[in-house]
Short mmCIF file of all heavy atoms in Angstrom, two decimals:
data_model
loop_
_atom_site.label_atom_id
_atom_site.label_comp_id
_atom_site.label_asym_id
_atom_site.label_seq_id
_atom_site.Cartn_x
_atom_site.Cartn_y
_atom_site.Cartn_z
N VAL A 1 0.13 -6.30 -7.83
CA VAL A 1 -0.37 -7.48 -8.46
C VAL A 1 0.90 -8.08 -9.34
O VAL A 1 1.52 -7.34 -10.04
CB VAL A 1 -1.63 -7.26 -9.30
CG1 VAL A 1 -1.27 -6.42 -10.45
CG2 VAL A 1 -2.19 -8.61 -9.71
N GLY A 2 1.09 -9.31 -9.12
CA GLY A 2 2.19 -9.95 -9.97
C GLY A 2 3.50 -9.90 -9.31
O GLY A 2 4.48 -10.40 -9.88
N LEU A 3 3.69 -9.28 -8.15
CA LEU A 3 5.04 -9.06 -7.49
C LEU A 3 5.21 -10.02 -6.41
O LEU A 3 4.22 -10.48 -5.70
CB LEU A 3 5.09 -7.60 -6.93
CG LEU A 3 4.95 -6.41 -7.90
CD1 LEU A 3 5.27 -5.19 -7.19
CD2 LEU A 3 5.89 -6.64 -9.14
N ASP A 4 6.42 -10.47 -6.22
CA ASP A 4 6.72 -11.48 -5.07
C ASP A 4 6.69 -10.53 -3.77
O ASP A 4 6.67 -9.30 -3.76
CB ASP A 4 8.06 -11.97 -5.26
CG ASP A 4 9.26 -11.08 -5.45
OD1 ASP A 4 9.47 -10.25 -4.39
OD2 ASP A 4 9.94 -11.04 -6.40
N PRO A 5 6.74 -11.22 -2.55
CA PRO A 5 6.62 -10.59 -1.30
C PRO A 5 7.70 -9.45 -1.06
O PRO A 5 7.37 -8.49 -0.56
CB PRO A 5 6.64 -11.71 -0.33
CG PRO A 5 6.17 -12.90 -1.00
CD PRO A 5 6.58 -12.73 -2.50
N VAL A 6 8.99 -9.71 -1.53
CA VAL A 6 9.94 -8.77 -1.28
C VAL A 6 9.69 -7.50 -2.11
O VAL A 6 9.88 -6.37 -1.73
CB VAL A 6 11.32 -9.42 -1.69
CG1 VAL A 6 12.41 -8.36 -1.65
CG2 VAL A 6 11.66 -10.48 -0.75
N ALA A 7 9.35 -7.70 -3.34
CA ALA A 7 9.04 -6.61 -4.24
C ALA A 7 7.78 -5.82 -3.78
O ALA A 7 7.78 -4.53 -3.77
CB ALA A 7 8.85 -6.94 -5.62
N ARG A 8 6.80 -6.45 -3.32
CA ARG A 8 5.66 -5.97 -2.79
C ARG A 8 5.90 -4.98 -1.59
O ARG A 8 5.48 -3.84 -1.53
CB ARG A 8 4.62 -7.12 -2.37
CG ARG A 8 3.27 -6.55 -1.95
CD ARG A 8 2.32 -7.59 -1.58
NE ARG A 8 2.19 -8.55 -2.76
CZ ARG A 8 1.88 -9.87 -2.70
NH1 ARG A 8 1.67 -10.35 -1.54
NH2 ARG A 8 1.78 -10.52 -3.81
N HIS A 9 6.77 -5.58 -0.65
CA HIS A 9 7.24 -4.73 0.54
C HIS A 9 7.90 -3.48 0.11
O HIS A 9 7.73 -2.40 0.63
CB HIS A 9 8.15 -5.59 1.38
CG HIS A 9 8.60 -4.82 2.62
ND1 HIS A 9 7.73 -4.63 3.68
CD2 HIS A 9 9.79 -4.22 2.89
CE1 HIS A 9 8.43 -3.92 4.60
NE2 HIS A 9 9.59 -3.71 4.23
N GLY A 10 8.70 -3.47 -1.06
CA GLY A 10 9.39 -2.39 -1.49
C GLY A 10 8.42 -1.34 -1.97
O GLY A 10 8.70 -0.14 -1.77
N VAL A 11 7.29 -1.68 -2.69
CA VAL A 11 6.36 -0.78 -3.16
C VAL A 11 5.77 -0.11 -1.96
O VAL A 11 5.45 1.07 -2.00
CB VAL A 11 5.41 -1.50 -4.13
CG1 VAL A 11 4.22 -0.53 -4.35
CG2 VAL A 11 6.03 -1.89 -5.42
N TRP A 12 5.38 -0.94 -0.87
CA TRP A 12 4.76 -0.39 0.36
C TRP A 12 5.65 0.65 0.86
O TRP A 12 5.15 1.77 1.29
CB TRP A 12 4.58 -1.42 1.35
CG TRP A 12 3.54 -2.53 0.96
CD1 TRP A 12 2.79 -2.51 -0.20
CD2 TRP A 12 3.16 -3.65 1.82
NE1 TRP A 12 2.00 -3.66 -0.15
CE2 TRP A 12 2.21 -4.40 1.01
CE3 TRP A 12 3.66 -4.05 3.09
CZ2 TRP A 12 1.73 -5.49 1.55
CZ3 TRP A 12 3.04 -5.28 3.50
CH2 TRP A 12 2.06 -5.99 2.71
N GLU A 13 6.95 0.48 0.97
CA GLU A 13 7.88 1.51 1.48
C GLU A 13 7.82 2.81 0.67
O GLU A 13 7.96 3.86 1.35
CB GLU A 13 9.27 0.89 1.69
CG GLU A 13 9.53 -0.13 2.70
CD GLU A 13 9.01 0.39 4.03
OE1 GLU A 13 9.53 1.46 4.44
OE2 GLU A 13 8.13 -0.27 4.76
N HIS A 14 7.80 2.69 -0.58
CA HIS A 14 7.77 3.74 -1.49
C HIS A 14 6.53 4.58 -1.22
O HIS A 14 6.52 5.89 -1.15
CB HIS A 14 7.67 3.35 -2.93
CG HIS A 14 9.09 2.86 -3.34
ND1 HIS A 14 10.33 3.22 -2.91
CD2 HIS A 14 9.39 1.92 -4.33
CE1 HIS A 14 11.23 2.47 -3.46
NE2 HIS A 14 10.82 1.75 -4.25
N VAL A 15 5.34 3.89 -1.09
CA VAL A 15 4.08 4.68 -0.73
C VAL A 15 4.18 5.41 0.52
O VAL A 15 3.85 6.53 0.65
CB VAL A 15 2.88 3.63 -0.73
CG1 VAL A 15 1.69 4.30 -0.26
CG2 VAL A 15 2.69 3.10 -2.09
N ARG A 16 4.66 4.78 1.56
CA ARG A 16 4.81 5.34 2.84
C ARG A 16 5.85 6.60 2.80
O ARG A 16 5.55 7.72 3.36
CB ARG A 16 5.38 4.43 3.87
CG ARG A 16 4.44 3.39 4.21
CD ARG A 16 5.03 2.46 5.43
NE ARG A 16 4.12 1.29 5.79
CZ ARG A 16 4.43 0.11 5.35
NH1 ARG A 16 5.54 -0.22 4.70
NH2 ARG A 16 3.72 -0.88 5.69
N ALA A 17 6.82 6.43 2.05
CA ALA A 17 7.80 7.56 1.86
C ALA A 17 7.13 8.77 1.09
O ALA A 17 7.42 10.00 1.48
CB ALA A 17 9.08 7.10 0.97
N LEU A 18 6.41 8.44 0.08
CA LEU A 18 5.63 9.59 -0.55
C LEU A 18 4.73 10.38 0.34
O LEU A 18 4.67 11.53 0.31
CB LEU A 18 4.89 9.01 -1.77
CG LEU A 18 5.67 8.51 -2.96
CD1 LEU A 18 4.75 7.91 -4.06
CD2 LEU A 18 6.46 9.72 -3.64
N GLN A 19 4.09 9.63 1.19
CA GLN A 19 3.12 10.25 2.12
C GLN A 19 3.81 11.12 3.04
O GLN A 19 3.51 12.27 3.44
CB GLN A 19 2.33 9.36 2.79
CG GLN A 19 1.17 9.86 3.68
CD GLN A 19 0.56 8.85 4.64
OE1 GLN A 19 1.17 7.97 5.07
NE2 GLN A 19 -0.74 9.24 4.96
N ARG A 20 4.98 10.65 3.57
CA ARG A 20 5.73 11.36 4.63
C ARG A 20 6.49 12.54 4.08
O ARG A 20 6.46 13.61 4.64
CB ARG A 20 6.83 10.38 5.22
CG ARG A 20 6.22 9.33 6.22
CD ARG A 20 7.30 8.68 6.99
NE ARG A 20 8.38 8.15 6.18
CZ ARG A 20 8.46 6.76 5.74
NH1 ARG A 20 7.50 5.97 6.11
NH2 ARG A 20 9.37 6.34 4.95
N SER A 21 7.12 12.32 2.93
CA SER A 21 7.93 13.44 2.37
C SER A 21 7.23 14.56 1.52
O SER A 21 7.42 15.69 1.71
CB SER A 21 8.99 12.83 1.45
OG SER A 21 8.44 12.16 0.40
N ALA A 22 6.18 14.09 0.88
CA ALA A 22 5.52 15.01 0.00
C ALA A 22 4.06 15.31 0.42
O ALA A 22 3.37 16.16 -0.11
CB ALA A 22 5.42 14.40 -1.41
N GLY A 23 3.59 14.60 1.43
CA GLY A 23 2.09 14.85 1.83
C GLY A 23 1.15 14.49 0.90
O GLY A 23 0.05 15.07 0.87
N MET A 24 1.57 13.52 -0.05
CA MET A 24 0.71 13.24 -1.23
C MET A 24 -0.55 12.50 -0.79
O MET A 24 -0.55 11.69 0.13
CB MET A 24 1.53 12.47 -2.22
CG MET A 24 0.82 12.39 -3.60
SD MET A 24 1.99 11.48 -4.78
CE MET A 24 3.23 12.72 -4.90
N THR A 25 -1.67 12.86 -1.41
CA THR A 25 -2.89 12.05 -1.30
C THR A 25 -2.82 10.86 -2.31
O THR A 25 -2.57 11.05 -3.46
CB THR A 25 -4.03 13.01 -1.61
OG1 THR A 25 -4.10 13.99 -0.86
CG2 THR A 25 -5.39 12.20 -1.40
N ILE A 26 -2.97 9.67 -1.63
CA ILE A 26 -2.81 8.52 -2.44
C ILE A 26 -4.11 7.54 -2.33
O ILE A 26 -4.50 7.23 -1.19
CB ILE A 26 -1.63 7.65 -2.02
CG1 ILE A 26 -0.39 8.63 -2.12
CG2 ILE A 26 -1.39 6.38 -2.85
CD1 ILE A 26 0.83 7.86 -1.50
N LEU A 27 -4.68 7.21 -3.51
CA LEU A 27 -5.86 6.27 -3.48
C LEU A 27 -5.25 4.96 -4.08
O LEU A 27 -4.74 4.90 -5.26
CB LEU A 27 -6.96 6.74 -4.14
CG LEU A 27 -8.26 5.84 -4.09
CD1 LEU A 27 -9.48 6.75 -4.13
CD2 LEU A 27 -8.31 4.72 -5.05
N ILE A 28 -5.38 3.86 -3.34
CA ILE A 28 -4.91 2.53 -3.72
C ILE A 28 -6.07 1.55 -3.94
O ILE A 28 -6.84 1.42 -2.97
CB ILE A 28 -3.89 1.99 -2.81
CG1 ILE A 28 -2.69 2.86 -2.75
CG2 ILE A 28 -3.47 0.56 -3.09
CD1 ILE A 28 -1.62 2.43 -1.62
N THR A 29 -6.13 0.87 -5.00
CA THR A 29 -7.06 -0.25 -5.07
C THR A 29 -6.23 -1.49 -4.93
O THR A 29 -5.09 -1.70 -5.42
CB THR A 29 -7.77 -0.41 -6.44
OG1 THR A 29 -6.91 -0.75 -7.41
CG2 THR A 29 -8.36 1.00 -6.82
N THR A 30 -6.92 -2.46 -4.23
CA THR A 30 -6.25 -3.79 -3.98
C THR A 30 -7.16 -4.89 -3.61
O THR A 30 -8.28 -4.55 -3.21
CB THR A 30 -5.00 -3.62 -2.93
OG1 THR A 30 -4.37 -4.83 -2.81
CG2 THR A 30 -5.53 -3.24 -1.57
N HIS A 31 -6.85 -6.12 -3.82
CA HIS A 31 -7.48 -7.12 -3.21
C HIS A 31 -6.62 -7.89 -2.17
O HIS A 31 -6.98 -9.02 -1.67
CB HIS A 31 -8.04 -8.10 -4.05
CG HIS A 31 -7.27 -8.62 -5.15
ND1 HIS A 31 -7.41 -8.57 -6.45
CD2 HIS A 31 -6.18 -9.50 -4.96
CE1 HIS A 31 -6.41 -9.15 -7.11
NE2 HIS A 31 -5.71 -9.73 -6.27
N TYR A 32 -5.51 -7.31 -1.76
CA TYR A 32 -4.61 -7.90 -0.83
C TYR A 32 -4.99 -7.28 0.55
O TYR A 32 -4.73 -6.09 0.82
CB TYR A 32 -3.15 -7.65 -1.12
CG TYR A 32 -2.61 -8.39 -2.42
CD1 TYR A 32 -1.87 -7.62 -3.31
CD2 TYR A 32 -2.71 -9.76 -2.49
CE1 TYR A 32 -1.44 -8.31 -4.41
CE2 TYR A 32 -2.36 -10.43 -3.63
CZ TYR A 32 -1.68 -9.72 -4.52
OH TYR A 32 -1.10 -10.33 -5.71
N MET A 33 -5.57 -8.02 1.43
CA MET A 33 -6.01 -7.54 2.76
C MET A 33 -4.82 -6.97 3.65
O MET A 33 -5.00 -5.89 4.25
CB MET A 33 -6.79 -8.51 3.46
CG MET A 33 -8.06 -8.98 2.77
SD MET A 33 -9.30 -7.69 2.55
CE MET A 33 -9.10 -7.44 0.77
N GLN A 34 -3.73 -7.69 3.63
CA GLN A 34 -2.57 -7.23 4.47
C GLN A 34 -2.08 -5.88 3.96
O GLN A 34 -1.76 -5.02 4.71
CB GLN A 34 -1.42 -8.28 4.40
CG GLN A 34 -0.33 -7.88 5.29
CD GLN A 34 0.98 -8.77 5.07
OE1 GLN A 34 0.87 -9.74 4.25
NE2 GLN A 34 2.01 -8.54 5.69
N GLU A 35 -2.03 -5.74 2.72
CA GLU A 35 -1.59 -4.43 1.96
C GLU A 35 -2.42 -3.34 2.41
O GLU A 35 -1.89 -2.29 2.90
CB GLU A 35 -1.64 -4.63 0.62
CG GLU A 35 -1.19 -3.34 -0.32
CD GLU A 35 -0.90 -3.84 -1.74
OE1 GLU A 35 0.07 -4.32 -2.06
OE2 GLU A 35 -1.85 -3.66 -2.59
N ALA A 36 -3.77 -3.55 2.37
CA ALA A 36 -4.68 -2.47 2.84
C ALA A 36 -4.60 -2.16 4.28
O ALA A 36 -4.66 -1.00 4.68
CB ALA A 36 -6.18 -2.91 2.41
N ASP A 37 -4.43 -3.24 5.13
CA ASP A 37 -4.40 -3.10 6.60
C ASP A 37 -3.17 -2.32 6.96
O ASP A 37 -3.33 -1.42 7.87
CB ASP A 37 -4.42 -4.46 7.15
CG ASP A 37 -4.92 -4.40 8.64
OD1 ASP A 37 -5.04 -3.34 9.08
OD2 ASP A 37 -5.08 -5.43 9.25
N GLU A 38 -2.05 -2.47 6.32
CA GLU A 38 -0.78 -1.88 6.69
C GLU A 38 -0.65 -0.52 6.15
O GLU A 38 0.00 0.43 6.83
CB GLU A 38 0.39 -2.80 6.36
CG GLU A 38 0.43 -4.09 7.15
CD GLU A 38 1.81 -4.74 6.98
OE1 GLU A 38 2.83 -4.18 6.60
OE2 GLU A 38 1.93 -5.93 7.25
N LEU A 39 -1.20 -0.22 4.94
CA LEU A 39 -0.88 1.01 4.18
C LEU A 39 -1.88 2.09 4.51
O LEU A 39 -1.58 3.34 4.56
CB LEU A 39 -0.72 0.67 2.75
CG LEU A 39 0.44 0.16 2.13
CD1 LEU A 39 0.36 0.02 0.74
CD2 LEU A 39 1.67 1.03 2.61
N CYS A 40 -3.22 1.76 4.61
CA CYS A 40 -4.23 2.71 4.45
C CYS A 40 -4.73 3.21 5.84
O CYS A 40 -4.99 2.39 6.72
CB CYS A 40 -5.41 2.03 3.65
SG CYS A 40 -4.98 1.41 2.00
N GLY A 41 -5.00 4.51 5.94
CA GLY A 41 -5.61 5.06 7.01
C GLY A 41 -7.05 4.80 7.24
O GLY A 41 -7.55 4.50 8.14
N ARG A 42 -7.70 4.87 5.94
CA ARG A 42 -9.08 4.40 5.85
C ARG A 42 -9.36 3.39 4.67
O ARG A 42 -8.46 3.69 3.68
CB ARG A 42 -10.06 5.56 5.82
CG ARG A 42 -10.14 6.39 7.20
CD ARG A 42 -11.37 7.38 6.95
NE ARG A 42 -11.05 8.29 5.97
CZ ARG A 42 -12.04 8.70 5.07
NH1 ARG A 42 -13.29 8.16 5.12
NH2 ARG A 42 -11.67 9.60 4.00
N ILE A 43 -10.49 2.78 4.61
CA ILE A 43 -10.65 1.79 3.62
C ILE A 43 -12.07 1.92 3.27
O ILE A 43 -13.03 1.97 4.10
CB ILE A 43 -10.23 0.40 3.97
CG1 ILE A 43 -8.83 0.21 4.20
CG2 ILE A 43 -10.73 -0.68 2.98
CD1 ILE A 43 -8.39 -1.04 4.97
N ALA A 44 -12.38 1.81 1.89
CA ALA A 44 -13.76 1.58 1.42
C ALA A 44 -13.83 0.07 0.90
O ALA A 44 -12.95 -0.19 0.00
CB ALA A 44 -14.22 2.55 0.39
N ILE A 45 -14.73 -0.64 1.27
CA ILE A 45 -14.92 -1.89 0.75
C ILE A 45 -16.05 -1.90 -0.34
O ILE A 45 -17.10 -1.31 -0.17
CB ILE A 45 -15.39 -3.00 1.75
CG1 ILE A 45 -14.34 -3.09 2.86
CG2 ILE A 45 -15.75 -4.28 1.24
CD1 ILE A 45 -14.66 -3.99 4.05
N ILE A 46 -15.70 -2.33 -1.55
CA ILE A 46 -16.69 -2.37 -2.61
C ILE A 46 -17.12 -3.68 -3.05
O ILE A 46 -16.28 -4.59 -3.13
CB ILE A 46 -16.04 -1.56 -3.90
CG1 ILE A 46 -17.14 -1.34 -4.96
CG2 ILE A 46 -14.81 -2.10 -4.40
CD1 ILE A 46 -16.75 -0.41 -6.14
#
């Protein structure tokens, strides 16, 4: 939230890297649909 598209993409890349390298479990809240669609294996809609 509050980031421009380039910075937002950078955060996405960090999240993907954490999952790949560390096998970390990550829970993300967002209201950006593109973000959820590209990053998340599963989604809960609240």
Side-chain angles (χ1 to χ4, degrees):
V1 67
L3 300 185
D4 61 57
V6 174
R8 187 177 302 155
H9 180 74
V11 171
W12 293 0
E13 287 304 308
H14 292 324
V15 171
R16 293 187 183 102
L18 287 174
Q19 185 193 31
R20 288 193 303 265
S21 64
M24 192 175 293
T25 304
I26 303 173
L27 190 150
I28 298 175
T29 72
T30 184
H31 54 241
Y32 294 128
M33 297 299 107
Q34 181 188 4
E35 185 167 272
D37 203 351
E38 293 196 16
L39 283 180
C40 302
R42 289 189 304 133
I43 293 168
I45 296 176
I46 184 169

